[in-house]
Amino acid sequence: MAQSFRRRHIQVGRKSKWRVVGFVVGGILGAAFRFLHRGVMLVLHSPPPPAIHTDPLSAQTVRGRISWAVAAARAGSPQIVRADETQVNTELKPSCERIGPGRNRVTECFD
């Protein structure tokens, strides 16, 4: 009876070693899969389009400055028009909206 107990104990010990090896290998493979999955998701993730801020009042201000600069240039003294990002976006928005989807907005917006 003592020998059968020893055999059972040895077999249990061998199974438990393989069980630990299985858990370790499974944990490593699971961590590698999670790392790979997150990496692929970060690469394939498409960010939202940037917010474009516009202000109708600033568009009127820029149009007035541009017409003043054009009149000054015709008179012989060219002027510089300074505008911030919101004013430029507001001025270019109507011409960029006329361009349909699927076309190159960057080059055609300024034509």
Side-chain angles (χ1 to χ4, degrees), residues 5 13 21-22 30 34 39 42 56 67 69 74 79 81 105:
F5 179 71
V21 169
R34 274 186 257 129
L42 285 174
S67 63
R74 287 184 184 152
Q79 299 292 323
V81 176
R105 289 180 174 227

Side-chain angles (χ1 to χ4, degrees), residues 79-94:
Q79 299 292 323
I80 296 175
V81 176
R82 299 189 188 273
D84 63 358
E85 182 181 358
T86 305
Q87 292 171 336
V88 173
N89 287 340
T90 305
E91 187 62 32
L92 293 177
K93 185 178 179 182

Side-chain angles (χ1 to χ4, degrees), residues 25-42:
V25 170
I28 291 171
L29 289 176
F33 177 74
R34 274 186 257 129
F35 180 74
L36 180 67
H37 180 262
R38 288 184 182 168
V40 167
M41 293 308 290
L42 285 174

